[in-house]
């Protein structure tokens, strides 16, 4: 059974802080990993993809992958109120994408 | 480059009716996936089409079906609608391949009364 687990939150951080979002997955054959951001009433928006162990940075976002521990994380530096959204972790094997239920992030001014 | 488009954006149907939703992928993308999103279950995979063939299917009843046309546009159909089918239906497109990223359309909000 493919599963992707995320803490539902909400995760509350003050503006300017680092937000840390975590995700674990059960299928060791998973091949690629993604983070999506979803604002209320909107569709998911891809913000990061990562395929190999280690860190990948893009602006204020850093994705981290540890395949041995079956763990993916997303760090958001200098968090802004506009980052308040639900963050979805997604894991891909072959052509199928499996999503976690998301972590709600609240950034207070 | 235009994004994924979905029509209609909103639909209201009654139990027992059927509905067809349409998705146009990003130009050049040949893979189209469909998802159902509800507050309780989150995003659940319905099926994926590539080159007019269903390549993968999620755990949904046979009332849910789809197809893909030669221009990569896709439709999904739900027959004999139930109240529990009320959801946001999302389409996502990507290039071929395991590592390729999926990009979502705005979704179709279906309400079944």
């Amino acid at each position: 059974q493919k599963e992707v687990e995320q803490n539902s939150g909400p995760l509350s951080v003050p503006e300017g802080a680092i937000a840390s979002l975590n995700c674990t997955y059960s299928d060791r054959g998973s091949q690629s990993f993604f983070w999506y951001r979803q604002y209320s009433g909107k569709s998911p928006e891809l913000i990061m993809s990562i395929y190999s162990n280690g860190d990948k940075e893009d602006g204020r976002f850093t994705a981290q992958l540890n395949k041995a521990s079956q763990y993916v994380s997303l760090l958001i530096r200098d968090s802004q109120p506009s980052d308040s959204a639900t963050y979805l972790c997604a894991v891909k094997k072959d052509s199928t994408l499996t999503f976690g239920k998301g972590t709600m992030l609240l950034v207070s001014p | 480059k235009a994004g994924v488009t979905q029509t209609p954006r909103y639909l209201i149907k009654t139990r027992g009716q059927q509905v067809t939703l349409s998705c146009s992928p990003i130009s050049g993308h040949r893979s189209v996936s469909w998802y159902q999103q509800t507050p309780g279950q989150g995003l659940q995979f319905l099926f994926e089409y590539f080159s007019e063939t269903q390549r993968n299917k999620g755990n949904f009843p046979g009332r849910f079906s789809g197809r893909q046309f030669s221009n990569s546009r896709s439709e999904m159909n739900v027959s004999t609608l139930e109240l529990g089918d009320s959801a946001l239906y999302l389409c996502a497109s990507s290039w071929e391949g395991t590592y390729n990223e999926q990009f979502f359309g705005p979704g179709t909000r279906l309400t079944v009364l």
Side-chain angles (χ1 to χ4, degrees), chain B residues 31-88:
Chain B
S31 169
V32 173
S33 298
W34 288 90
Y35 298 86
Q36 181 195 63
Q37 188 174 33
T38 58
Q41 298 299 317
L43 260 166
Q44 293 187 287
F45 172 71
L46 280 157
F47 27 66
E48 185 239 356
Y49 285 87
F50 177 78
S51 291
E52 301 179 66
T53 300
Q54 187 181 89
R55 195 159 60 170
N56 289 291
K57 188 177 190 305
N59 189 25
F60 277 82
R63 300 185 297 107
F64 292 82
S65 63
R67 59 178 175 168
Q68 186 181 34
F69 302 95
S70 58
N71 61 358
S72 294
R73 191 178 69 85
S74 178
E75 289 180 348
M76 67 162 282
N77 184 78
V78 188
S79 62
T80 319
L81 284 166
E82 300 177 359
L83 295 179
D85 296 333
S86 294
L88 179 66

Side-chain angles (χ1 to χ4, degrees), chain A residues 31-32 34 36 38 41-44 46 49 51 56 88 92-97 99-101, chain B residues 33 35 37 40-41 43 45 48 55-56 88 90 94 97-106:
Chain A
Q31 297 158 312
S32 47
F34 306 90
Y36 287 81
Q38 187 172 26
K42 301 293 186 182
S43 62
L46 179 67
S49 57
Y51 308 115
K56 180 182 177 184
L88 301 167
K92 198 171 191 185
K93 182 177 178 181
D94 300 324
S95 57
T96 300
L97 203 57
F99 284 82
K101 292 194 175 181
Chain B
S33 298
Y35 298 86
Q37 188 174 33
Q41 298 299 317
L43 260 166
F45 172 71
E48 185 239 356
R55 195 159 60 170
N56 289 291
L88 179 66
L90 292 158
S94 67
T98 297
Y99 296 97
N100 292 320
E101 300 157 335
Q102 290 190 4
F103 298 91
F104 283 86

